[in-house]
């Protein structure tokens, strides 16, 4: 996929996530788009209360992923990535 198409895909995914964010923010969390790969894998990071929520996997598979796939059919999968905080120097 051409770099411009990947950028457009990323923009469409970001718009879809923007529509979902108010519900996550209302619960004290958020979601950040980290990467959109050419084959359609979207990597996201849960933040705030969502980062440690026991329902995180269910939220991802049953709510977020189906919505994003419906809005952006090129998306093959949404994958949550846990980032490790960097220690202060």
């Amino acid at each position: 996929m051409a770099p411009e198409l990947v950028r457009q895909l990323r923009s469409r995914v970001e718009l879809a996530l923007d529509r979902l964010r108010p519900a996550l923010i209302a619960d004290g969390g958020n979601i950040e788009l980290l990467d959109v790969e050419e084959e359609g894998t979207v990597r996201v990071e849960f933040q705030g209360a969502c980062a440690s929520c026991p329902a995180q996997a269910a939220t991802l598979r049953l709510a977020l992923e189906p919505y994003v796939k419906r809005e952006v059919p090129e998306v093959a999968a949404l994958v949550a990535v846990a980032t490790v905080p960097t220690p202060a120097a």
Side-chain angles (χ1 to χ4, degrees):
M1 189 180 297
E4 179 57 30
L5 293 177
V6 173
R7 279 192 294 278
Q8 290 174 4
L9 183 59
R10 182 182 179 91
S11 177
R12 292 172 50 219
V13 170
E14 190 70 61
L15 286 172
L17 292 175
D18 282 347
R19 292 185 203 106
L20 297 168
R21 282 192 176 98
L24 298 172
I25 291 169
D27 284 339
N30 203 349
I31 191 167
E32 179 183 351
L33 176 59
L34 299 176
D35 189 30
V36 177
E37 298 176 0
E38 287 187 30
E39 76 281 352
T41 299
V42 174
R43 298 192 187 287
V44 296
E45 176 188 17
F46 283 102
Q47 299 175 330
C50 292
S52 60
C53 178
Q56 183 188 102
T59 299
L60 182 72
R61 291 290 165 241
L62 302 176
L64 303 178
E65 185 176 57
Y67 179 80
V68 172
K69 283 180 166 182
R70 192 168 45 253
E71 293 295 307
V72 187
E74 298 89 341
V75 170
L78 228 63
V79 177
V81 176
T83 58
V84 178
T86 11

